[in-house]
Amino acid sequence: MTKLFLHKIDLRRLILVLTIVSALVSLANTMQASYLVQSRQLIDSALESNAAYAAKLANSTNDFIEQAQQQLAYSAALLGKNFGDEAAYAAEVDRLRLQTDSFNSVMLLDSRGEVLATSPENQSIMGMTLQTPGVRAAMEEKKPAISTPYISAAGNFIVFISSPVWSPTGKYLGLIGGSIYLRQPSILNRLLASHYHKDGSYVYVVSHDHQLIYHPQSDRVGDYVQGNTVIDKIAKGLNGSEETVNSRQVPVLAGYAVVQSTGWGVVAQRPKAQTLAPIESLMQRVIFKTLPITLISLLVIWWCARQISRPLRLLANSAQSMDDTTTEDRIQTVNSWYFEAQELKRIMLLGIGLLKNNIRRLHADVHTDPLTGLGNRRSLDAALTEFQTANLPFAAVSVDIDFFKKINDTYGHDVGDQVLQSLANCLKEVCRAGDVPCRVGGEEFLILLPGTDKHAAAQMAERLRRQVEAADMPMVGNITVSLGVAHWPDDAKSIAAVLKLADDMLYQAKRGGRNRVAVFE
């Protein structure tokens, strides 16, 4: 199946597919760029508009709060002069509520918090001493105050704006305050509810401690909102705009501003999806405008692909048979008439040469011990197989460094490695061209001497022992080695048994005092 697929999708067809994909990608990139530019403009415009609108509403709310405080201060001054006149109480709280419609309710309290008058009249709280948060805070501070939202004695969720009442002599008499209902129609609702968009946009107001003061969904008023980055910035007193996700996980474009007199934040936000809706029709027009140019570009690219495909196709066919001995000659005959094809042809010829060199180098690395440069166990197994196949007798000399562990423990493994390398050099010096010196363990070495009898092998082992004993090793000075000699097939019919005998002789030499050669008899 794979061969069939590769046969159908040859280099020429692949180039054509890539050119078509490139053209489509170019078209898609143009569409995406247009979409990103237009959407960014719409988003920036919506953010700027929402920020300006939030600032306008914040200023309007701030003006309303200041006017309400002025009205309360004026009433407080009048009542301070007529404190004790119950008729004046009722008249003034009614006037204050009805004259400007700023408050849902107005009340007058004495210095103990007892209700002296209310508008509209509410007999259930008349004469009651209020301990609600807004009243307590205002009485403690004895200055104009705006409360945080709370549940009033009448059960309404309100913001309480108050002004202290002082006598002409400076005695604190109580306070007059107005309530703005947050879950019922109020001037704050009318001020914020008439948002200029009707496409899912809306305005809400939040206190500095993340509590909703106004929201189009009245059942959400009083909720605490967490995890909203816009509200977090309002709590820090910041104004601005940003693209964010609201508490209902809807992407929105929000502008926000702080009401200076209260610390509330006004947020005007619009769903991002509604903002970007006009781009769809715009993108259709962009497609119609760019499609003809794209088709022309495809035709031009298709023609160019056909012109360059032939030399590349020939080179690709040659690449499928790199292991063929004639491949190099066939690549030489390809007419690469342009620069890229010529370079590809040159690189392929260079690659064939490198491949051959790497194979040779890899073969050497696989059969060589990296520390000493001697043969490893693979090299040893290959030589034994060759000797056994050719029925070539050989002597085996097993070599081991005496007290090598002490060298490592005393001087460290780096010095131990240098000793191993020096010993390997000694082995190379005493071995003939056809001998096979190998490192078979940490400090264990084995030499195969093809066509050598046991007597000659023992002489060679003795030469090696004396040479090692006389050599000056780095850092260590002089070392000694123990050697064991055995012969195949004189000593055993099995090669494994002969190697075992050579190893046994090595340990016999160690038991005999080390620095000696032991020959199997």
Side-chain angles (χ1 to χ4, degrees):
M1 185 65 181
T2 303
K3 291 183 178 180
L4 179 62
F5 177 79
L6 292 174
H7 176 73
K8 291 182 178 179
I9 307 299
D10 59 16
L11 185 59
R12 180 177 63 84
R13 291 186 179 91
L14 182 58
I15 293 175
L16 292 178
V17 169
L18 290 176
T19 54
I20 293 173
V21 170
S22 299
L24 293 177
V25 169
S26 177
L27 177 61
N29 183 62
T30 302
M31 294 291 295
Q32 183 185 29
S34 299
Y35 177 83
L36 292 176
V37 170
Q38 296 298 326
S39 62
R40 190 70 258 169
Q41 290 179 347
L42 288 175
I43 290 172
D44 291 343
S45 176
L47 288 172
E48 182 179 357
S49 176
N50 285 342
Y53 190 61
K56 177 182 177 182
L57 289 179
N59 290 333
S60 298
T61 304
N62 190 67
D63 292 342
F64 160 70
I65 296 294
E66 290 179 350
Q67 290 173 7
Q69 288 179 314
Q70 290 176 359
Q71 295 171 33
L72 290 169
Y74 179 78
S75 295
L78 292 178
L79 290 170
K81 298 174 183 179
N82 301 290
F83 209 81
D85 185 348
E86 294 185 1
Y89 297 165
E92 185 58 26
V93 294
D94 281 338
R95 182 196 68 77
L96 188 58
R97 182 178 68 87
L98 298 173
Q99 185 177 22
T100 61
D101 200 25
S102 298
F103 305 105
N104 292 87
S105 66
V106 179
M107 65 174 62
L108 174 66
L109 293 82
D110 65 13
S111 59
R112 297 172 303 166
E114 181 180 336
V115 179
L116 302 179
T118 65
S119 179
E121 186 174 352
N122 188 343
Q123 294 297 329
S124 64
I125 64 172
M126 283 295 294
M128 180 186 296
T129 299
L130 299 184
Q131 295 296 326
T132 54
V135 172
R136 286 202 312 270
M139 292 223 166
E140 289 173 0
E141 295 178 3
K142 294 183 176 59
K143 62 182 182 180
I146 303 170
S147 74
T148 56
Y150 69 95
I151 302 296
S152 69
N156 296 310
F157 189 61
I158 67 169
V159 167
F160 188 63
I161 304 175
S162 63
S163 181
V165 179
W166 301 91
S167 70
T169 61
K171 179 182 178 181
Y172 179 70
L173 302 175
L175 63 82
I176 183 168
S179 300
I180 300 175
Y181 295 171
L182 300 180
R183 289 177 178 161
Q184 300 175 28
S186 66
I187 190 170
L188 187 62
N189 295 123
R190 295 193 296 274
L191 180 65
L192 299 172
S194 55
H195 191 40
Y196 64 96
H197 284 308
K198 303 297 181 183
D199 55 1
S201 302
Y202 63 91
V203 172
Y204 66 89
V205 180
V206 64
S207 68
H208 63 85
D209 59 352
H210 294 220
Q211 188 177 26
L212 289 175
I213 295 175
Y214 166 77
H215 195 280
Q217 300 174 0
S218 59
D219 59 333
R220 294 195 63 191
V221 174
D223 290 350
Y224 286 90
V225 181
Q226 302 296 335
N228 188 309
T229 57
V230 169
I231 296 179
D232 292 339
K233 291 183 178 179
I234 288 173
K236 297 177 182 178
L238 302 177
N239 300 329
S241 62
E242 71 174 69
E243 183 178 346
T244 185
V245 178
N246 66 15
S247 57
R248 299 299 176 86
Q249 302 304 309
V250 176
V252 295
L253 306 176
Y256 51 93
V258 175
V259 180
Q260 295 301 321
S261 59
T262 61
W264 301 345
V266 178
V267 182
Q269 65 182 28
R270 186 184 189 194
K272 184 178 179 180
Q274 297 295 334
T275 302
L276 299 180
I279 294 184
E280 294 182 1
S281 60
L282 176 64
M283 296 310 297
Q284 291 178 357
R285 293 195 296 271
V286 171
I287 291 176
F288 291 142
K289 293 291 185 181
T290 58
L291 190 58
I293 297 177
T294 302
L295 292 176
I296 293 174
S297 299
L298 282 174
L299 291 174
V300 172
I301 295 173
W302 174 78
W303 182 83
C304 292
R306 290 195 62 185
Q307 299 303 310
I308 67 174
S309 63
R310 179 173 176 76
L312 295 178
R313 184 176 182 180
L314 292 174
L315 292 173
N317 290 337
S318 298
Q320 293 178 1
S321 55
M322 292 290 284
D323 55 344
D324 193 334
T325 56
T326 64
T327 297
E328 189 171 1
D329 295 335
R330 284 191 283 109
I331 292 176
Q332 292 284 8
T333 62
V334 173
N335 181 20
S336 50
W337 55 270
Y338 55 92
F339 174 77
E340 287 77 6
Q342 179 62 37
E343 285 298 295
L344 181 59
K345 173 181 174 180
R346 183 180 66 82
I347 293 299
M348 289 181 67
L349 292 173
L350 179 62
I352 290 176
L354 292 176
L355 179 62
K356 292 178 180 178
N357 291 334
N358 286 337
I359 290 174
R360 287 192 295 266
R361 188 180 300 111
L362 179 61
H363 183 270
D365 290 343
V366 168
H367 290 79
T368 302
D369 175 57
L371 177 64
T372 61
L374 300 178
N376 57 16
R377 286 190 174 275
R378 289 191 181 91
S379 177
L380 175 66
D381 292 341
L384 291 172
T385 301
E386 180 182 350
F387 294 164
Q388 187 174 28
T389 302
N391 200 25
L392 177 64
F394 66 88
V397 180
S398 184
V399 185
D400 186 86
I401 301 175
D402 295 331
F403 302 110
F404 184 71
K405 183 178 184 303
K406 183 177 179 181
I407 294 175
N408 277 335
D409 293 342
T410 304
Y411 301 99
H413 289 278
D414 290 343
V415 173
D417 289 346
Q418 296 178 29
V419 169
L420 292 174
Q421 292 170 341
S422 298
L423 176 60
N425 292 333
C426 292
L427 265 67
K428 293 175 184 176
E429 291 175 3
V430 301
C431 287
R432 302 167 300 179
D435 296 340
V436 183
C438 300
R439 183 188 178 198
V440 295
E443 71 273 20
E444 297 179 4
F445 297 82
L446 184 67
I447 307 172
L448 300 181
L449 306 174
T452 304
D453 60 30
K454 191 159 36 178
H455 177 71
Q459 291 179 334
M460 176 268 186
E462 181 61 25
R463 286 198 306 274
L464 175 61
R465 184 195 66 77
R466 289 196 300 269
Q467 183 169 336
V468 172
E469 184 180 20
D472 187 14
M473 299 293 175
M475 298 290 294
V476 178
N478 298 106
I479 67 169
T480 61
V481 293
S482 298
L483 304 95
V485 180
H487 189 274
W488 182 83
D490 293 349
D491 296 333
K493 299 301 181 182
S494 167
I495 289 180
V498 168
L499 298 182
K500 178 66 168 56
L501 289 175
D503 200 47
D504 291 343
M505 292 300 100
L506 168 65
Y507 284 101
Q508 180 177 316
K510 285 186 176 292
R511 288 192 299 271
R514 293 183 172 83
N515 190 23
R516 62 189 61 209
V517 177
V519 181
F520 179 75
E521 297 297 342

